[in-house]
Amino acid sequence: VSTDYDESDRLYFEELTLERVLDIYEREGASGIVVSVGGQIPNNLAGPLDDFGAKILGTSARDIERAEDRRQFSDMLDGLGLNQPAWSVLRTKDEAIEFANRVGFPVLVRPSFVLSGAAMRVATDENQLRNFLALAADVAADKPVVVTKFILGAKEIEFDAVANNGTILNYAIGEHLENAGVHSGDATVILPAQKLMTNTIRQVKRYASMIAQALEITGPFNIQFMGKDNDVQVIECNLRASRTFPFVSKTLNHNFISLATQAMCGLKVQPYRISLLDIDYVCVKAPMFSFTRLRGADPNLGVEMASTGEVACFGDTEHEAFMQAMISAKFKLPSKDKFILLSIASDTFRDQFWRSAKVFQDLGYKLVGTPGTAAFMKAKGVEIGVAKKPADEEDEDDCAETGAPSALKEIRQRNVTMVINISEDTSRKDEITAGYIMRRAAVDFDISLVTNIKCAVEIAEALERGYDKFEAKHIGEFYKLPMIGWRK
């Protein structure tokens, strides 16, 4: 790791500010500075360092700014003819609201030069948009804030690569299990991508190549795309090693950052011989969270990052790798002597899940749902009990009309083994309030919580295939699998 003193000649524990970096640069008599492996802050310092005469190794400070500045990057994409969601630069709140009304809610508020999606929010109405714009303007300071159309139901695609003078040397394409709208640091990432159509992959590669050339990239970079109905759009480009970079290197058994370092230092570089289609295994990265230590925090995922760690596991199939990754991330599998609580706020997501509910039923799990969810599932032939939604954090009373037990009481008495609460796609106050209370109770009482419909379906499919029982393998066993087309 970067703080391992055995890996460097000298290690400084100093704050990452312009003054301190320049002090160390001068003290060491350094021939250059690498800003693409330290996250967001070094990228933000690239311009000021360049202004003071420091040599930036790899992609130039000017091109880093073109990628980080939302307005410049969107202008560049328009100039290249690459698809992106409709966008507008914030000048006044009224202009932003006019734009949102024109393209239709929901919209995404995106500050520039920020880490982990700070102050990034999805606004579903005018009041939310006004509040989020004020927050984004505070975080972004004098940098542009862009408002873009938020595409519902799109798949997010990760493109990690190393380039040299605008030419891509090696790349990897992964897909998020969750739909676009969950921060990449919180998302479950599958590599190689398993469910992308050939035309989608072709578009991703073509777009990435054009962006790499336009920004004259040398070194590591990450581009996030979203795909829907076989149409690809660009979300953003980070001219630095992303958090999926070591995940890619471990999966492909080739050191991408070593290749990037050679390119940034101006050495002769030879691409690795890699064919993603010839890899006979799957690797899944799952996030880890610390909600139990954050009293009162809402354990729901969105466009601003919440995870504090991640694990990755290999498997012969996507579902095997997914289940191992979830268990490694401290997810506890449901037991059959207690209830699985379902609370899904919209018919759209209920329709996506009812077949999975039947899978749980057929496997012998007992189901209970909040009134709307239970009624929908019963209409589909699912055997499910009813639990009353809590009105507040003290509401443990049974329903006066039906006698249905309180969902909150069932959680607190540990009669529930897993909570599946999908509150997205709703802005109704009662859904948000009741959902938060149940999510928070699940975390506080150490009960497995699932808040994304895609993850809930994947868990059911993995259990149906018997992947709750598996024998862990050494990573070397996957690397030794016979391959066609490439060798180290």
Side-chain angles (χ1 to χ4, degrees), residues 281-320:
Y281 53 82
V282 183
C283 196
V284 171
K285 176 183 77 70
M288 296 184 69
F289 301 94
S290 301
F291 289 122
T292 53
R293 301 181 183 182
L294 302 172
R295 185 175 181 180
D298 187 354
N300 205 11
L301 305 184
V303 291
E304 187 167 6
M305 183 174 155
S307 66
T308 53
E310 52 200 1
V311 298
C313 288
F314 287 65
D316 293 318
T317 68
E318 172 191 326
H319 290 92
E320 182 184 30

Side-chain angles (χ1 to χ4, degrees), residues 14 16 21 31 136 187 206-207 235 239 289 428 448 478 483:
E14 297 286 351
L16 276 175
V21 173
S31 58
R206 185 168 64 249
Y207 281 21
I235 301 176
L239 298 188
F289 301 94
R428 298 210 309 270
S448 294
F478 292 98
M483 303 287 176

Side-chain angles (χ1 to χ4, degrees), residues 206-224:
R206 185 168 64 249
Y207 281 21
S209 179
M210 293 174 70
I211 291 171
Q213 290 177 17
L215 294 173
E216 299 181 29
I217 300 175
T218 294
F221 69 100
N222 164 272
I223 305 176
Q224 291 164 26

Side-chain angles (χ1 to χ4, degrees), residues 241-393:
S242 70
R243 61 181 51 79
T244 51
F245 225 68
F247 170 60
V248 166
S249 296
K250 187 71 75 173
T251 301
L252 302 182
N253 196 22
H254 287 288
N255 194 335
F256 271 41
I257 201 61
S258 176
L259 188 70
T261 303
Q262 295 173 50
M264 289 186 289
C265 292
L267 303 177
K268 184 178 180 181
V269 288
Q270 185 68 36
Y272 299 123
R273 296 177 59 201
I274 301 173
S275 173
L276 297 178
L277 294 176
D278 293 329
I279 297 174
D280 200 26
Y281 53 82
V282 183
C283 196
V284 171
K285 176 183 77 70
M288 296 184 69
F289 301 94
S290 301
F291 289 122
T292 53
R293 301 181 183 182
L294 302 172
R295 185 175 181 180
D298 187 354
N300 205 11
L301 305 184
V303 291
E304 187 167 6
M305 183 174 155
S307 66
T308 53
E310 52 200 1
V311 298
C313 288
F314 287 65
D316 293 318
T317 68
E318 172 191 326
H319 290 92
E320 182 184 30
F322 169 78
M323 186 58 77
Q324 293 190 45
M326 291 290 285
I327 293 171
S328 299
K330 307 301 181 185
F331 181 84
K332 292 188 295 185
L333 296 178
S335 59
K336 296 179 181 178
D337 60 335
K338 298 180 179 181
F339 291 101
I340 295 175
L341 173 61
L342 308 180
S343 182
I344 303 173
S346 74
D347 282 349
T348 301
F349 292 120
R350 291 168 184 166
D351 190 58
Q352 292 180 32
F353 187 73
W354 71 266
R355 295 173 187 82
S356 298
K358 276 207 160 189
V359 168
F360 280 120
Q361 174 190 304
D362 293 343
L363 290 173
Y365 293 96
K366 297 182 291 185
L367 304 176
V368 64
T370 49
T373 303
F376 188 97
M377 297 298 163
K378 284 180 180 178
K380 296 292 186 180
V382 178
E383 296 178 12
I384 186 170
V386 181
K388 188 192 76 170
K389 285 193 302 185
D392 54 51
E393 293 178 326

Side-chain angles (χ1 to χ4, degrees), residues 90-101 126 129-130 133:
L90 165 66
R91 295 182 180 85
T92 67
K93 289 184 180 180
D94 289 338
E95 283 187 18
I97 290 167
E98 180 185 345
F99 167 80
N101 287 328
E126 187 174 318
L129 180 56
R130 287 185 181 275
L133 286 173

Side-chain angles (χ1 to χ4, degrees), residues 341-343 368-371 386-392 395-399 404-416 419 434 437-439 441-442 447:
L341 173 61
L342 308 180
S343 182
V368 64
T370 49
V386 181
K388 188 192 76 170
K389 285 193 302 185
D392 54 51
D395 185 11
E396 294 189 5
D397 297 330
D398 294 345
C399 179
S406 163
L408 183 59
K409 182 173 72 174
E410 294 296 294
I411 294 172
R412 288 176 173 172
Q413 291 184 350
R414 302 183 190 277
N415 295 326
V416 173
V419 175
I437 293 170
M438 290 185 285
R439 289 192 297 272
I447 294 170

